[in-house]
mmCIF file of all heavy atoms in Angstrom:
data_model
loop_
_atom_site.group_PDB
_atom_site.id
_atom_site.type_symbol
_atom_site.label_atom_id
_atom_site.label_comp_id
_atom_site.label_asym_id
_atom_site.label_seq_id
_atom_site.Cartn_x
_atom_site.Cartn_y
_atom_site.Cartn_z
ATOM 1 N N LEU A 120 16.893 -3.455 0.475
ATOM 2 C CA LEU A 120 16.156 -3.717 1.712
ATOM 3 C C LEU A 120 16.705 -2.921 2.890
ATOM 4 O O LEU A 120 15.950 -2.420 3.710
ATOM 5 C CB LEU A 120 16.195 -5.212 2.015
ATOM 6 C CG LEU A 120 15.176 -5.751 3.000
ATOM 7 C CD1 LEU A 120 13.761 -5.388 2.595
ATOM 8 C CD2 LEU A 120 15.323 -7.265 3.089
ATOM 9 N N GLY A 121 18.003 -2.749 2.954
ATOM 10 C CA GLY A 121 18.617 -2.035 4.068
ATOM 11 C C GLY A 121 18.593 -0.521 3.944
ATOM 12 O O GLY A 121 18.972 0.188 4.878
ATOM 13 N N TYR A 122 18.148 -0.019 2.811
ATOM 14 C CA TYR A 122 18.153 1.420 2.569
ATOM 15 C C TYR A 122 16.829 2.025 3.038
ATOM 16 O O TYR A 122 15.754 1.599 2.624
ATOM 17 C CB TYR A 122 18.366 1.691 1.081
ATOM 18 C CG TYR A 122 18.299 3.144 0.673
ATOM 19 C CD1 TYR A 122 18.995 4.121 1.371
ATOM 20 C CD2 TYR A 122 17.547 3.533 -0.417
ATOM 21 C CE1 TYR A 122 18.941 5.456 0.989
ATOM 22 C CE2 TYR A 122 17.492 4.861 -0.810
ATOM 23 C CZ TYR A 122 18.186 5.814 -0.097
ATOM 24 O OH TYR A 122 18.124 7.137 -0.476
ATOM 25 N N ASP A 123 16.918 3.021 3.908
ATOM 26 C CA ASP A 123 15.738 3.708 4.416
ATOM 27 C C ASP A 123 15.390 4.840 3.453
ATOM 28 O O ASP A 123 15.664 6.006 3.717
ATOM 29 C CB ASP A 123 16.007 4.235 5.832
ATOM 30 C CG ASP A 123 14.762 4.788 6.487
ATOM 31 O OD1 ASP A 123 13.649 4.430 6.068
ATOM 32 O OD2 ASP A 123 14.910 5.600 7.433
ATOM 33 N N ALA A 124 14.803 4.468 2.333
ATOM 34 C CA ALA A 124 14.489 5.440 1.276
ATOM 35 C C ALA A 124 13.368 6.368 1.725
ATOM 36 O O ALA A 124 12.488 5.963 2.482
ATOM 37 C CB ALA A 124 14.078 4.707 0.006
ATOM 38 N N PRO A 125 13.374 7.608 1.246
ATOM 39 C CA PRO A 125 12.275 8.520 1.571
ATOM 40 C C PRO A 125 10.934 7.921 1.127
ATOM 41 O O PRO A 125 10.810 7.434 0.009
ATOM 42 C CB PRO A 125 12.599 9.775 0.753
ATOM 43 C CG PRO A 125 14.059 9.687 0.452
ATOM 44 C CD PRO A 125 14.376 8.225 0.383
ATOM 45 N N GLY A 126 9.967 7.911 2.032
ATOM 46 C CA GLY A 126 8.642 7.399 1.698
ATOM 47 C C GLY A 126 8.518 5.898 1.725
ATOM 48 O O GLY A 126 7.508 5.349 1.286
ATOM 49 N N SER A 127 9.530 5.189 2.238
ATOM 50 C CA SER A 127 9.447 3.731 2.272
ATOM 51 C C SER A 127 8.817 3.211 3.559
ATOM 52 O O SER A 127 8.639 2.019 3.719
ATOM 53 C CB SER A 127 10.835 3.103 2.081
ATOM 54 O OG SER A 127 11.669 3.410 3.172
ATOM 55 N N SER A 128 8.450 4.121 4.454
ATOM 56 C CA SER A 128 7.842 3.694 5.718
ATOM 57 C C SER A 128 6.415 3.208 5.484
ATOM 58 O O SER A 128 5.787 3.501 4.465
ATOM 59 C CB SER A 128 7.856 4.848 6.722
ATOM 60 O OG SER A 128 7.086 5.926 6.223
ATOM 61 N N VAL A 129 5.901 2.510 6.461
ATOM 62 C CA VAL A 129 4.612 1.837 6.336
ATOM 63 C C VAL A 129 3.446 2.800 6.095
ATOM 64 O O VAL A 129 2.458 2.419 5.483
ATOM 65 C CB VAL A 129 4.357 0.938 7.577
ATOM 66 C CG1 VAL A 129 4.091 1.774 8.810
ATOM 67 C CG2 VAL A 129 3.242 -0.034 7.316
ATOM 68 N N GLU A 130 3.545 4.042 6.530
ATOM 69 C CA GLU A 130 2.425 4.969 6.336
ATOM 70 C C GLU A 130 2.183 5.294 4.870
ATOM 71 O O GLU A 130 1.088 5.671 4.493
ATOM 72 C CB GLU A 130 2.660 6.306 7.067
ATOM 73 C CG GLU A 130 2.886 6.185 8.546
ATOM 74 C CD GLU A 130 4.356 6.023 8.880
ATOM 75 O OE1 GLU A 130 5.225 6.431 8.087
ATOM 76 O OE2 GLU A 130 4.635 5.468 9.949
ATOM 77 N N ARG A 131 3.183 5.217 4.055
ATOM 78 C CA ARG A 131 3.055 5.656 2.667
ATOM 79 C C ARG A 131 3.319 4.551 1.645
ATOM 80 O O ARG A 131 2.835 4.617 0.528
ATOM 81 C CB ARG A 131 4.040 6.807 2.436
ATOM 82 C CG ARG A 131 3.814 7.498 1.137
ATOM 83 C CD ARG A 131 4.409 8.880 1.122
ATOM 84 N NE ARG A 131 4.249 9.436 -0.205
ATOM 85 C CZ ARG A 131 5.161 10.134 -0.827
ATOM 86 N NH1 ARG A 131 6.298 10.409 -0.239
ATOM 87 N NH2 ARG A 131 4.938 10.586 -2.016
ATOM 88 N N ALA A 132 4.085 3.549 2.026
ATOM 89 C CA ALA A 132 4.497 2.505 1.093
ATOM 90 C C ALA A 132 3.587 1.280 1.197
ATOM 91 O O ALA A 132 3.282 0.815 2.291
ATOM 92 C CB ALA A 132 5.944 2.105 1.359
ATOM 93 N N HIS A 133 3.171 0.782 0.038
ATOM 94 C CA HIS A 133 2.352 -0.420 -0.042
ATOM 95 C C HIS A 133 3.139 -1.445 -0.851
ATOM 96 O O HIS A 133 3.430 -1.215 -2.033
ATOM 97 C CB HIS A 133 1.009 -0.113 -0.709
ATOM 98 C CG HIS A 133 0.203 0.879 0.060
ATOM 99 N ND1 HIS A 133 -0.787 0.513 0.943
ATOM 100 C CD2 HIS A 133 0.283 2.236 0.126
ATOM 101 C CE1 HIS A 133 -1.306 1.593 1.494
ATOM 102 N NE2 HIS A 133 -0.665 2.651 1.025
ATOM 103 N N LEU A 134 3.525 -2.536 -0.194
ATOM 104 C CA LEU A 134 4.340 -3.548 -0.855
ATOM 105 C C LEU A 134 3.608 -4.129 -2.061
ATOM 106 O O LEU A 134 2.416 -4.462 -1.975
ATOM 107 C CB LEU A 134 4.711 -4.659 0.123
ATOM 108 C CG LEU A 134 5.585 -4.242 1.310
ATOM 109 C CD1 LEU A 134 5.782 -5.414 2.253
ATOM 110 C CD2 LEU A 134 6.920 -3.698 0.825
ATOM 111 N N LEU A 135 4.313 -4.235 -3.170
ATOM 112 C CA LEU A 135 3.702 -4.715 -4.408
ATOM 113 C C LEU A 135 3.142 -6.126 -4.236
ATOM 114 O O LEU A 135 2.051 -6.420 -4.735
ATOM 115 C CB LEU A 135 4.695 -4.653 -5.573
ATOM 116 C CG LEU A 135 4.163 -5.118 -6.928
ATOM 117 C CD1 LEU A 135 2.899 -4.347 -7.342
ATOM 118 C CD2 LEU A 135 5.240 -4.980 -7.989
ATOM 119 N N ALA A 136 3.829 -6.997 -3.532
ATOM 120 C CA ALA A 136 3.327 -8.360 -3.320
ATOM 121 C C ALA A 136 1.995 -8.325 -2.575
ATOM 122 O O ALA A 136 1.070 -9.091 -2.896
ATOM 123 C CB ALA A 136 4.356 -9.198 -2.568
ATOM 124 N N ASP A 137 1.856 -7.429 -1.603
ATOM 125 C CA ASP A 137 0.593 -7.293 -0.872
ATOM 126 C C ASP A 137 -0.499 -6.729 -1.770
ATOM 127 O O ASP A 137 -1.654 -7.153 -1.701
ATOM 128 C CB ASP A 137 0.760 -6.380 0.349
ATOM 129 C CG ASP A 137 1.617 -6.994 1.433
ATOM 130 O OD1 ASP A 137 1.860 -8.216 1.393
ATOM 131 O OD2 ASP A 137 2.043 -6.240 2.331
ATOM 132 N N VAL A 138 -0.151 -5.766 -2.609
ATOM 133 C CA VAL A 138 -1.127 -5.181 -3.539
ATOM 134 C C VAL A 138 -1.663 -6.273 -4.464
ATOM 135 O O VAL A 138 -2.875 -6.382 -4.686
ATOM 136 C CB VAL A 138 -0.497 -4.022 -4.351
ATOM 137 C CG1 VAL A 138 -1.411 -3.569 -5.478
ATOM 138 C CG2 VAL A 138 -0.163 -2.850 -3.418
ATOM 139 N N ILE A 139 -0.770 -7.105 -4.983
ATOM 140 C CA ILE A 139 -1.176 -8.210 -5.866
ATOM 141 C C ILE A 139 -2.116 -9.155 -5.121
ATOM 142 O O ILE A 139 -3.177 -9.527 -5.641
ATOM 143 C CB ILE A 139 0.061 -8.940 -6.422
ATOM 144 C CG1 ILE A 139 0.787 -8.032 -7.424
ATOM 145 C CG2 ILE A 139 -0.328 -10.285 -7.056
ATOM 146 C CD1 ILE A 139 2.159 -8.536 -7.853
ATOM 147 N N ASP A 140 -1.747 -9.542 -3.909
ATOM 148 C CA ASP A 140 -2.597 -10.445 -3.119
ATOM 149 C C ASP A 140 -3.963 -9.826 -2.831
ATOM 150 O O ASP A 140 -4.995 -10.499 -2.935
ATOM 151 C CB ASP A 140 -1.918 -10.812 -1.792
ATOM 152 C CG ASP A 140 -0.764 -11.783 -1.967
ATOM 153 O OD1 ASP A 140 -0.613 -12.378 -3.053
ATOM 154 O OD2 ASP A 140 0.012 -11.934 -0.998
ATOM 155 N N ASN A 141 -3.985 -8.555 -2.473
ATOM 156 C CA ASN A 141 -5.250 -7.881 -2.160
ATOM 157 C C ASN A 141 -6.165 -7.828 -3.384
ATOM 158 O O ASN A 141 -7.372 -8.059 -3.271
ATOM 159 C CB ASN A 141 -5.001 -6.468 -1.636
ATOM 160 C CG ASN A 141 -4.374 -6.470 -0.253
ATOM 161 O OD1 ASN A 141 -4.521 -7.426 0.510
ATOM 162 N ND2 ASN A 141 -3.663 -5.409 0.062
ATOM 163 N N LEU A 142 -5.600 -7.520 -4.548
ATOM 164 C CA LEU A 142 -6.412 -7.449 -5.768
ATOM 165 C C LEU A 142 -6.861 -8.834 -6.233
ATOM 166 O O LEU A 142 -7.949 -8.975 -6.803
ATOM 167 C CB LEU A 142 -5.641 -6.738 -6.877
ATOM 168 C CG LEU A 142 -5.413 -5.248 -6.662
ATOM 169 C CD1 LEU A 142 -4.477 -4.692 -7.724
ATOM 170 C CD2 LEU A 142 -6.732 -4.491 -6.639
ATOM 171 N N ALA A 143 -6.052 -9.848 -5.989
ATOM 172 C CA ALA A 143 -6.443 -11.213 -6.354
ATOM 173 C C ALA A 143 -7.629 -11.667 -5.500
ATOM 174 O O ALA A 143 -8.509 -12.389 -5.981
ATOM 175 C CB ALA A 143 -5.259 -12.168 -6.191
ATOM 176 N N ALA A 144 -7.675 -11.214 -4.269
ATOM 177 C CA ALA A 144 -8.769 -11.578 -3.367
ATOM 178 C C ALA A 144 -10.023 -10.730 -3.607
ATOM 179 O O ALA A 144 -11.146 -11.202 -3.443
ATOM 180 C CB ALA A 144 -8.318 -11.434 -1.913
ATOM 181 N N ASP A 145 -9.831 -9.456 -3.990
ATOM 182 C CA ASP A 145 -10.948 -8.528 -4.170
ATOM 183 C C ASP A 145 -10.552 -7.494 -5.223
ATOM 184 O O ASP A 145 -9.723 -6.622 -4.956
ATOM 185 C CB ASP A 145 -11.268 -7.842 -2.835
ATOM 186 C CG ASP A 145 -12.401 -6.838 -2.927
ATOM 187 O OD1 ASP A 145 -12.909 -6.563 -4.037
ATOM 188 O OD2 ASP A 145 -12.783 -6.305 -1.867
ATOM 189 N N SER A 146 -11.157 -7.586 -6.378
ATOM 190 C CA SER A 146 -10.781 -6.731 -7.508
ATOM 191 C C SER A 146 -10.888 -5.238 -7.213
ATOM 192 O O SER A 146 -10.150 -4.440 -7.778
ATOM 193 C CB SER A 146 -11.652 -7.074 -8.727
ATOM 194 O OG SER A 146 -11.298 -6.259 -9.824
ATOM 195 N N THR A 147 -11.791 -4.852 -6.334
ATOM 196 C CA THR A 147 -11.998 -3.424 -6.052
ATOM 197 C C THR A 147 -11.448 -3.022 -4.683
ATOM 198 O O THR A 147 -11.862 -2.011 -4.114
ATOM 199 C CB THR A 147 -13.495 -3.065 -6.142
ATOM 200 O OG1 THR A 147 -14.219 -3.857 -5.195
ATOM 201 C CG2 THR A 147 -14.028 -3.298 -7.547
ATOM 202 N N PHE A 148 -10.517 -3.789 -4.179
ATOM 203 C CA PHE A 148 -9.951 -3.551 -2.848
ATOM 204 C C PHE A 148 -9.530 -2.095 -2.646
ATOM 205 O O PHE A 148 -9.857 -1.481 -1.638
ATOM 206 C CB PHE A 148 -8.748 -4.480 -2.627
ATOM 207 C CG PHE A 148 -8.135 -4.377 -1.259
ATOM 208 C CD1 PHE A 148 -8.611 -5.156 -0.215
ATOM 209 C CD2 PHE A 148 -7.071 -3.519 -1.010
ATOM 210 C CE1 PHE A 148 -8.053 -5.073 1.051
ATOM 211 C CE2 PHE A 148 -6.509 -3.422 0.254
ATOM 212 C CZ PHE A 148 -7.003 -4.207 1.285
ATOM 213 N N TYR A 149 -8.804 -1.529 -3.614
ATOM 214 C CA TYR A 149 -8.246 -0.183 -3.434
ATOM 215 C C TYR A 149 -9.235 0.934 -3.749
ATOM 216 O O TYR A 149 -8.962 2.086 -3.435
ATOM 217 C CB TYR A 149 -6.934 -0.028 -4.207
ATOM 218 C CG TYR A 149 -5.867 -0.869 -3.550
ATOM 219 C CD1 TYR A 149 -5.508 -2.111 -4.063
ATOM 220 C CD2 TYR A 149 -5.272 -0.456 -2.368
ATOM 221 C CE1 TYR A 149 -4.566 -2.899 -3.426
ATOM 222 C CE2 TYR A 149 -4.334 -1.243 -1.726
ATOM 223 C CZ TYR A 149 -3.988 -2.468 -2.257
ATOM 224 O OH TYR A 149 -3.064 -3.249 -1.612
ATOM 225 N N GLN A 150 -10.383 0.591 -4.312
ATOM 226 C CA GLN A 150 -11.437 1.596 -4.454
ATOM 227 C C GLN A 150 -12.217 1.732 -3.150
ATOM 228 O O GLN A 150 -12.766 2.785 -2.857
ATOM 229 C CB GLN A 150 -12.413 1.229 -5.587
ATOM 230 C CG GLN A 150 -11.889 1.551 -6.964
ATOM 231 C CD GLN A 150 -10.940 0.496 -7.486
ATOM 232 O OE1 GLN A 150 -11.232 -0.688 -7.434
ATOM 233 N NE2 GLN A 150 -9.791 0.906 -7.979
ATOM 234 N N LYS A 151 -12.274 0.651 -2.345
ATOM 235 C CA LYS A 151 -13.101 0.618 -1.139
ATOM 236 C C LYS A 151 -12.337 0.908 0.150
ATOM 237 O O LYS A 151 -12.918 1.370 1.110
ATOM 238 C CB LYS A 151 -13.761 -0.764 -0.995
ATOM 239 C CG LYS A 151 -14.681 -1.117 -2.144
ATOM 240 C CD LYS A 151 -15.383 -2.435 -1.926
ATOM 241 C CE LYS A 151 -14.445 -3.600 -2.033
ATOM 242 N NZ LYS A 151 -15.104 -4.902 -2.090
ATOM 243 N N ARG A 152 -11.071 0.606 0.152
ATOM 244 C CA ARG A 152 -10.297 0.654 1.388
ATOM 245 C C ARG A 152 -9.936 2.081 1.783
ATOM 246 O O ARG A 152 -9.566 2.901 0.950
ATOM 247 C CB ARG A 152 -9.005 -0.140 1.197
ATOM 248 C CG ARG A 152 -8.097 0.012 2.382
ATOM 249 C CD ARG A 152 -7.281 -1.163 2.666
ATOM 250 N NE ARG A 152 -6.632 -0.907 3.949
ATOM 251 C CZ ARG A 152 -5.365 -1.098 4.177
ATOM 252 N NH1 ARG A 152 -4.606 -1.571 3.233
ATOM 253 N NH2 ARG A 152 -4.854 -0.837 5.354
ATOM 254 N N ALA A 153 -10.024 2.366 3.071
ATOM 255 C CA ALA A 153 -9.512 3.641 3.582
ATOM 256 C C ALA A 153 -7.988 3.542 3.606
ATOM 257 O O ALA A 153 -7.434 2.579 4.134
ATOM 258 C CB ALA A 153 -10.043 3.897 4.988
ATOM 259 N N LEU A 154 -7.333 4.495 2.993
ATOM 260 C CA LEU A 154 -5.870 4.503 2.936
ATOM 261 C C LEU A 154 -5.366 5.743 3.662
ATOM 262 O O LEU A 154 -5.641 6.871 3.248
ATOM 263 C CB LEU A 154 -5.385 4.526 1.475
ATOM 264 C CG LEU A 154 -5.740 3.311 0.626
ATOM 265 C CD1 LEU A 154 -5.375 3.551 -0.831
ATOM 266 C CD2 LEU A 154 -5.030 2.070 1.147
ATOM 267 N N THR A 155 -4.639 5.532 4.734
ATOM 268 C CA THR A 155 -4.062 6.661 5.452
ATOM 269 C C THR A 155 -2.719 7.012 4.840
ATOM 270 O O THR A 155 -2.043 6.156 4.263
ATOM 271 C CB THR A 155 -3.871 6.342 6.945
ATOM 272 O OG1 THR A 155 -3.030 5.191 7.067
ATOM 273 C CG2 THR A 155 -5.211 6.053 7.621
ATOM 274 N N PHE A 156 -2.348 8.278 4.932
ATOM 275 C CA PHE A 156 -1.067 8.716 4.392
ATOM 276 C C PHE A 156 -0.657 9.999 5.097
ATOM 277 O O PHE A 156 -1.492 10.788 5.507
ATOM 278 C CB PHE A 156 -1.143 8.931 2.874
ATOM 279 C CG PHE A 156 -2.257 9.831 2.427
ATOM 280 C CD1 PHE A 156 -2.064 11.204 2.331
ATOM 281 C CD2 PHE A 156 -3.506 9.313 2.130
ATOM 282 C CE1 PHE A 156 -3.092 12.039 1.927
ATOM 283 C CE2 PHE A 156 -4.530 10.140 1.723
ATOM 284 C CZ PHE A 156 -4.327 11.513 1.629
ATOM 285 N N PRO A 157 0.652 10.178 5.255
ATOM 286 C CA PRO A 157 1.135 11.402 5.910
ATOM 287 C C PRO A 157 1.181 12.571 4.932
ATOM 288 O O PRO A 157 1.370 12.372 3.728
ATOM 289 C CB PRO A 157 2.548 11.019 6.365
ATOM 290 C CG PRO A 157 2.989 10.018 5.339
ATOM 291 C CD PRO A 157 1.739 9.265 4.936
ATOM 292 N N LEU A 158 0.979 13.757 5.441
ATOM 293 C CA LEU A 158 1.119 14.977 4.655
ATOM 294 C C LEU A 158 1.930 15.984 5.461
ATOM 295 O O LEU A 158 1.712 16.132 6.662
ATOM 296 C CB LEU A 158 -0.254 15.593 4.349
ATOM 297 C CG LEU A 158 -1.111 14.902 3.317
ATOM 298 C CD1 LEU A 158 -2.489 15.554 3.263
ATOM 299 C CD2 LEU A 158 -0.457 14.971 1.953
#
């Protein structure tokens, strides 16, 4: 938790617990959602 790993910031990292909750609520959540990411 205390380690600032590369790519662990909010722009790129999606917490697994949140992913599970989102899919439990809506099976196609990640097909429909706009996902921003840094390049």
Side-chain angles (χ1 to χ4, degrees):
L120 198 54
Y122 176 48
D123 188 21
S127 66
S128 62
V129 70
E130 302 90 24
R131 191 159 175 221
H133 298 263
L134 296 175
L135 181 56
D137 291 345
V138 170
I139 290 169
D140 287 347
N141 290 335
L142 291 172
D145 179 355
S146 180
T147 59
F148 183 88
Y149 290 100
Q150 281 81 49
K151 299 184 290 191
R152 173 148 188 227
L154 296 172
T155 58
F156 53 89
L158 286 173

